[in-house]
């Protein structure tokens, strides 16, 4: 199984790769959004904003991505590179 599935986290509503392929984001039924290294699938961050299931996400330009939730909220996130 995938490392994401093996982390004992709430169900997953959506998974997307960042266009440069270096980062994976996943939206979960507990409302959390998680960031993963695509190189080794190690967890990098847990983002919390949504009050209900997060089920949609997509990456845009310049490190920005959006998530959507069953509670009707949309969140915009900026991911800064360490480089």
């Amino acid at each position: 199984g995938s490392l994401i599935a093996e982390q004992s986290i709430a169900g997953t509503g959506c998974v997307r790769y960042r266009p440069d392929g270096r980062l994976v984001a996943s939206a979960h039924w507990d409302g959390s959004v998680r960031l993963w290294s695509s190189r080794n699938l190690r967890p990098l961050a847990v983002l919390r904003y949504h009050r209900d299931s997060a089920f949609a996400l997509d990456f845009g330009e310049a490190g920005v991505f959006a998530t959507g939730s069953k509670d009707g909220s949309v969140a915009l996130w900026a991911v800064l590179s360490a480089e």
Side-chain angles (χ1 to χ4, degrees), residues 7-80:
Q7 291 292 319
S8 297
I9 54 178
T12 304
C14 188
V15 176
R16 293 281 188 267
Y17 276 89
R18 190 167 68 179
D20 67 7
R22 295 176 55 196
L23 187 71
V24 178
S26 55
H28 298 275
W29 298 348
D30 66 358
S32 67
V33 176
R34 295 170 186 261
L35 300 180
W36 311 82
S37 165
S38 61
R39 182 172 35 165
N40 56 22
L41 289 180
R42 297 283 179 221
L44 300 173
V46 177
L47 309 173
R48 300 199 183 273
Y49 174 78
H50 301 295
R51 294 183 309 267
D52 206 340
S53 300
F55 63 87
L57 76 91
D58 207 358
F59 282 94
E61 300 294 320
V64 175
F65 71 101
T67 58
S69 171
K70 186 177 177 182
D71 64 22
S73 66
V74 174
L76 294 176
W77 308 89
V79 179
L80 304 176

